[in-house]
Amino acid sequence: MKKIRLGVIGIGNMGSEHCRNLAAGKCPEIELAAVADVREDRMEWARHELPESVKVFPSGRDLIRSGECDAVLIAVPHYLHEQLAVQAMSHGLDVLCEKPISVEAAAGRRMIRCAATSGKTLALMFNQRTNSVYRAIRNIMQNQELGAIKRMSWIVTDWYRTQKYYDSGSWRATWAGEGGGVLLNQCPHQLDLLIWLCGMPVKVQAQCHEGKWHHIEVEDDVTAYLEFGNGATGVFTASTGDLPGTNRLEIDCERGKLICEDGKIRCFRLGQNERETCFNSDNPWYQCNAKEEEIQTDGENPQHIGVLNAFAAHLLHGTPLTADAEDGLRALQLSNAIHYSGWTGEMVSVPVPEDKFHELLDKKIAGSTVRKTGDITYESDHTGTGAKAGQ
């Protein structure tokens, strides 16, 4: 069996987990060929914990140029995604990038242009798309079983984090190091799923509270009002300060609604389209007993392993990716729009002007805390590029 020789760039929390899964043989069409990290302690971990055949490099650049890999998985801080992805694709390697695709949509578009020019694949690690619950909702929405969407709301506040979490990494929760808070770190999956299930909002009005619950400089509490192209509306709420938190998605449609909570989907089906009932019923206080059922799923939830296997299958057999670069760009455009609206206090169209977003983010970076670590130097360089590789 032919295998994809994969290199993992960045072997921190997420990157090391990918390495363990690959080394355990959970992705039969992928060979873990190499890893890279600029931190000596992580390289030592790789030398002792991974198979001897895995080459260890002191930087992503060295791994990319080594000739040891056919593709790379990028699992480094957000600001470095563009730099490393472009380097890899320019050297003939396919790329699977951890979320988000980048910090600014403009950078995401540059990555997509590089993929088109080089002819290489650029995929995103949106592993929540593999969840059986969201796949089942997607099928219902795509098949229009409940008619057009009228309203949606998603309260996702089960991302609780203590101050210790934010203090655990010098790049965390700074504009220069991370480029955002709950929107860019915890919620890229939910923003992607929101678009995947309900469509792309066309307008956003948001409040982004910075350091409301923690001693941080980025947002940890967000509420966004959304408008969709067909006139549907929505509300998206996220926080890392609620305990206990909630994860509840409700989608109201013309012929019923879906409620997703605690890993279950409840579906309420109407006998006829609500729009028909509204204008044809003689009863001004009309009520109905909607048919309620729990939607059964296939129960499969392969998560990161599923995305990796789909990536390999795409490269070897041409089958679909779990999520491609355009998916990553759309999720970031929505994230950027929520930030931009929060910063300006205005209702904005999606996507927002990239130059104006860059200008406002650059001001945030200019006032950001200067932090340094052994692997990345985070500094305000007044160009909006944020983190710089310390290599």
Side-chain angles (χ1 to χ4, degrees):
M1 175 189 295
K2 183 177 180 181
K3 292 187 176 184
I4 299 297
R5 298 178 303 157
L6 185 71
V8 178
I9 301 176
I11 48 175
N13 291 338
M14 205 62 251
S16 61
E17 181 64 21
H18 294 316
C19 290
R20 282 187 283 266
N21 286 332
L22 292 166
K26 295 180 181 181
C27 300
E29 292 186 312
I30 297 177
E31 172 193 350
L32 179 59
V35 297
D37 204 295
V38 293
R39 281 179 48 171
E40 181 60 36
D41 60 327
R42 292 177 179 173
M43 288 191 286
E44 278 300 305
W45 173 86
R47 294 186 185 105
H48 287 91
E49 300 297 329
L50 298 178
E52 292 184 4
S53 60
V54 178
K55 304 292 192 301
V56 180
F57 293 94
S59 74
R61 179 178 59 246
D62 292 333
L63 184 152
I64 288 167
R65 296 175 177 178
S66 69
E68 296 288 338
C69 302
D70 306 308
V72 295
L73 192 165
I74 296 174
V76 298
H78 309 149
Y79 280 113
L80 299 179
H81 288 185
E82 178 190 5
Q83 171 189 322
L84 289 168
V86 168
Q87 284 183 16
M89 290 185 287
S90 298
H91 279 80
L93 304 181
D94 297 293
V95 174
L96 175 57
C97 186
E98 271 289 352
K99 54 78 180 172
I101 190 171
S102 189
V103 175
E104 299 185 55
R109 288 198 303 106
R110 289 192 293 269
M111 293 164 69
I112 290 173
R113 284 200 299 270
C114 182
T117 300
S118 64
K120 307 312 294 183
T121 292
L122 175 59
L124 264 291
M125 183 59 82
F126 280 147
N127 49 283
Q128 285 301 317
R129 287 192 178 198
T130 71
N131 190 311
S132 61
V133 170
Y134 298 124
R135 287 188 287 108
I137 295 174
R138 163 89 171 172
N139 287 337
I140 291 172
M141 298 301 293
Q142 289 289 296
N143 294 336
Q144 290 278 297
E145 290 182 32
L146 300 179
I149 182 174
K150 296 167 58 185
R151 185 187 315 278
M152 62 77 57
S153 66
W154 202 340
I155 302 173
V156 52
T157 59
D158 57 345
W159 290 117
Y160 184 72
R161 297 292 186 269
T162 66
Q163 188 64 39
K164 183 71 172 180
Y165 166 82
Y166 290 111
D167 293 343
S168 67
S170 58
W171 69 288
R172 291 192 185 279
T174 64
W175 294 111
E178 194 168 13
V182 65
L183 282 174
L184 211 59
N185 193 324
Q186 282 80 31
C187 286
H189 290 298
Q190 280 70 39
L191 294 177
D192 169 63
L193 289 171
L194 189 157
I195 298 166
W196 196 52
L197 301 175
C198 302
M200 183 68 155
V202 296
K203 290 185 178 181
V204 170
Q205 175 84 59
Q207 290 287 339
C208 300
H209 298 277
E210 297 169 1
K212 183 173 184 178
W213 306 116
H214 307 87
H215 300 310
I216 58 175
E217 60 188 49
V218 295
E219 81 287 347
D220 58 2
D221 196 287
V222 172
T223 298
Y225 164 76
L226 313 170
E227 291 186 359
F228 296 84
N230 72 338
T233 60
V235 176
F236 181 79
T237 301
S239 176
T240 56
D242 288 11
L243 188 67
T246 297
N247 191 334
R248 177 186 171 96
L249 170 63
E250 183 168 329
I251 305 175
D252 183 65
C253 300
E254 293 175 324
R255 304 187 67 94
K257 70 178 178 181
L258 297 167
I259 297 176
C260 179
E261 191 171 20
D262 298 328
K264 297 180 180 180
I265 310 167
R266 295 161 62 202
C267 181
F268 299 82
R269 299 182 188 272
L270 300 175
Q272 66 176 1
N273 191 305
E274 180 277 329
R275 296 287 75 202
E276 297 175 8
T277 301
C278 178
F279 294 106
N280 296 332
S281 174
D282 293 328
N283 184 351
W285 298 281
Y286 181 89
Q287 295 291 321
C288 75
N289 293 318
K291 181 181 178 182
E292 180 180 354
E293 63 176 303
E294 182 177 331
I295 301 298
Q296 299 302 310
T297 73
D298 61 21
E300 296 181 6
N301 188 18
Q303 292 292 322
H304 303 95
I305 295 168
V307 177
L308 280 161
N309 284 329
F311 180 64
H314 175 79
L315 299 182
L316 294 173
H317 316 298
T319 53
L321 294 164
T322 301
D324 62 23
E326 293 289 347
D327 296 317
L329 178 60
R330 281 188 286 271
L332 185 58
Q333 286 174 329
L334 179 54
S335 177
N336 283 179
I338 295 173
H339 265 138
Y340 190 82
S341 176
W343 296 339
T344 63
E346 301 171 355
M347 175 173 277
V348 300
S349 297
V350 184
V352 296
E354 293 175 356
D355 57 340
K356 293 183 178 179
F357 178 87
H358 177 86
E359 180 181 348
L360 292 180
L361 177 61
D362 210 26
K363 291 180 180 178
K364 295 282 189 181
I365 293 171
S368 184
T369 304
V370 178
R371 299 185 177 195
K372 294 185 178 181
T373 67
D375 55 333
I376 301 293
T377 298
Y378 295 111
E379 57 187 22
S380 173
D381 61 6
H382 302 286
T383 64
T385 54
K388 293 180 176 180
Q391 356 181 357

